[in-house]
Amino acid sequence: LCLNGYSLTSAYEYGTVIINDNATLNVTDCGNDGKIANTGSYRTGNAIVTSSDGVNITLNLYSGTLEANTGCAYYNDADENCVFNQYGGKVTTSTTDPQTGTVTMLDGCGKYNLYGGSVENTNAYWTVYATGENTQLSMSGTAQINKPVWVKNRIVITGVLTPPASAYVICYMSRNQTG
């Protein structure tokens, strides 16, 4: 999907774009300021959502913006083999919900591979919120994050990570943690 400088916007409470089973969505912007956005005021007003109980879903962001007003820019509640690869572009939200982030991965098997671009939250909460049993955040390259990250299980730093403008804050909770 080439945004070509245009916006795909809705206020639909469950997501502007919903990716179903066995699908890959490639997003790029051949123009300027293209974005997929959700302007809703409800907590679930997400820009891109994987289908609940979904399998084999991939989102590749090369350029452009994923933006949510109060929900998540990317929300993954799928069951298995769901991957978000960010090579560039911007992923942003203004959520104030402490149980979500700009990129949220719950329950299932979600992987977020952050190779480049930026992830931002304009409020005080998480940029990445990953609490699923098999969720994983991988970072490398020129990735930029402006707020803390909450990851329950795995963080992988591969290769050389270009120094950010300010220090990363990562909150990590091991799956073996008790009490």
Side-chain angles (χ1 to χ4, degrees):
L1 171 64
C2 175
L3 298 170
N4 201 24
Y6 291 94
S7 294
L8 178 59
T9 304
S10 82
Y12 182 57
E13 67 180 282
Y14 296 110
T16 301
V17 173
I18 299 171
I19 308 172
N20 289 314
D21 291 358
N22 302 308
T24 297
L25 176 62
N26 297 310
V27 178
T28 188
D29 182 19
C30 302
N32 293 312
D33 301 321
K35 65 182 168 181
I36 297 173
N38 192 297
T39 58
S41 59
Y42 190 65
R43 174 182 175 208
T44 58
N46 306 310
I48 293 187
V49 176
T50 61
S51 63
S52 182
D53 301 323
V55 295
N56 302 320
I57 298 170
T58 301
L59 169 64
N60 295 309
L61 177 65
Y62 296 97
S63 58
T65 299
L66 306 181
E67 177 180 283
N69 185 33
T70 57
C72 306
Y74 173 78
Y75 183 85
N76 176 6
D77 191 19
D79 273 351
E80 56 185 271
N81 299 327
C82 294
V83 179
F84 175 15
N85 297 307
Q86 184 178 352
Y87 300 99
K90 179 177 168 183
V91 182
T92 183
T93 189
S94 297
T95 186
T96 57
D97 184 348
Q99 298 298 312
T100 64
T102 307
V103 172
T104 297
M105 299 181 296
L106 303 174
D107 301 329
C109 303
K111 290 184 180 177
Y112 179 28
N113 299 314
L114 181 55
Y115 303 114
S118 65
V119 184
E120 302 174 4
N121 188 330
T122 59
N123 284 307
Y125 289 100
W126 315 110
T127 51
V128 178
Y129 185 79
T131 63
E133 186 62 30
N134 294 305
T135 57
Q136 176 178 311
L137 166 65
S138 295
M139 295 173 61
S140 65
T142 59
Q144 297 293 310
I145 296 176
N146 81 329
K147 296 287 174 151
V149 171
W150 173 269
V151 177
K152 180 178 179 183
N153 290 315
R154 290 180 282 211
I155 292 181
V156 178
I157 306 294
T158 58
V160 176
L161 192 59
T162 303
S166 59
Y168 293 127
V169 176
I170 298 174
C171 301
Y172 176 76
M173 184 175 80
S174 169
R175 74 176 89 194
N176 297 323
Q177 183 174 345
T178 59

